[in-house]
Amino acid sequence: MCWSATADLTAGTVITAVGVVCVMRVRRVRDLPVAALPLLLGAHQLVEAAVWRSGGGCGPATTAWAVIALPLLPVWVPLGVLLAAAPPMSGPRERRRLRAPAAAGVATGAYLSYCLATRPVTAEIRGHLVGYGVNIPWTPLVLAGYLFATLGALLISGDRHLRVLGAVLTVGALACSALWRLEFASTWCAFAAVASMLVLGWVRRRKPASSVT
């Protein structure tokens, strides 16, 4: 996420503020889940700041971080994209295409919820990053479902701005994964901030349903 408690706290505050603006500017109720994504990302940063300050371990902040990262995001993102693609903003072909990542997200989220309910989650401070541990059987399959649900839903969306958001998050996931494996530093907060600004731009460009022809 971020390389220190202070960085997480700062990033979380800024991203949450952007999320508030996004929600206030929404013109269609069905756009709310995507518009509220920065709120979720910002809350995630703030929760990790608490993980830093608690020194890791298995406390409430660690559990809250895992709940947002694991079962919540793969359900929230594809369902939000599917709702945003409701008529008259898109055609039936796009909506049918988006049902696949939504279904994958629900299945992945349900399985990850079961894992969190039956297995402990731990956090360990490793220099400039926090390492999280939870025993998830069939990890490659679960990871594939997770990425298809979150990144896939954005990348196959008929909305050009959401596809750009998906591309930015894909690059961010690859870069942060590489840095995390090297145990250099966690830089996801920077990509989360960029993603939040892209969501704000998406919200500002959306037209109310009554103006769509």
Side-chain angles (χ1 to χ4, degrees):
M1 297 294 287
C2 253
W3 52 88
S4 69
T6 301
D8 262 319
L9 184 61
T10 302
T13 301
V14 172
I15 293 170
T16 300
V18 172
V20 171
V21 175
C22 289
V23 171
M24 291 177 62
R25 287 179 173 267
V26 163
R27 301 177 184 180
R28 301 171 70 239
V29 175
R30 288 179 177 271
D31 290 342
L32 269 173
V34 173
L37 185 57
L39 282 178
L40 192 59
L41 296 176
H44 208 202
Q45 303 286 162
L46 295 175
V47 167
E48 187 171 82
V51 175
W52 278 101
R53 296 190 185 281
S54 66
C58 303
T62 299
T63 301
W65 187 94
V67 168
I68 296 174
L70 298 180
L72 186 53
L73 277 174
V75 175
W76 188 291
V77 173
L79 289 181
V81 175
L82 180 59
L83 283 172
M89 303 301 291
S90 65
R93 182 174 299 178
E94 179 187 348
R95 293 193 296 275
R96 285 196 299 268
R97 187 170 67 241
L98 289 171
R99 287 172 188 159
V106 170
T108 302
Y111 181 72
L112 289 172
S113 295
Y114 169 77
C115 291
L116 291 183
T118 57
R119 296 169 172 84
V121 184
T122 61
E124 179 185 359
I125 307 299
R126 303 174 185 170
H128 293 293
L129 58 83
V130 181
Y132 296 90
V134 59
N135 181 19
I136 301 176
W138 306 98
T139 299
L141 182 61
V142 175
L143 180 60
Y146 188 102
L147 294 177
F148 178 57
T150 52
L151 300 178
L154 293 167
L155 291 172
I156 68 174
S157 170
D159 188 308
R160 179 173 63 87
H161 301 290
L162 291 184
R163 291 199 302 272
V164 171
L165 175 61
V168 169
L169 291 177
T170 299
V171 171
L174 291 172
C176 292
S177 176
L179 291 173
W180 185 86
R181 288 179 182 276
L182 293 172
E183 297 195 358
F184 175 68
S186 180
T187 55
W188 176 251
C189 54
F191 288 95
V194 173
S196 297
M197 295 306 298
L198 290 174
V199 172
L200 177 59
W202 176 81
V203 169
R204 294 177 65 181
R205 292 182 180 92
R206 297 287 278 182
K207 298 178 181 179
S210 59
S211 69
V212 177
T213 58

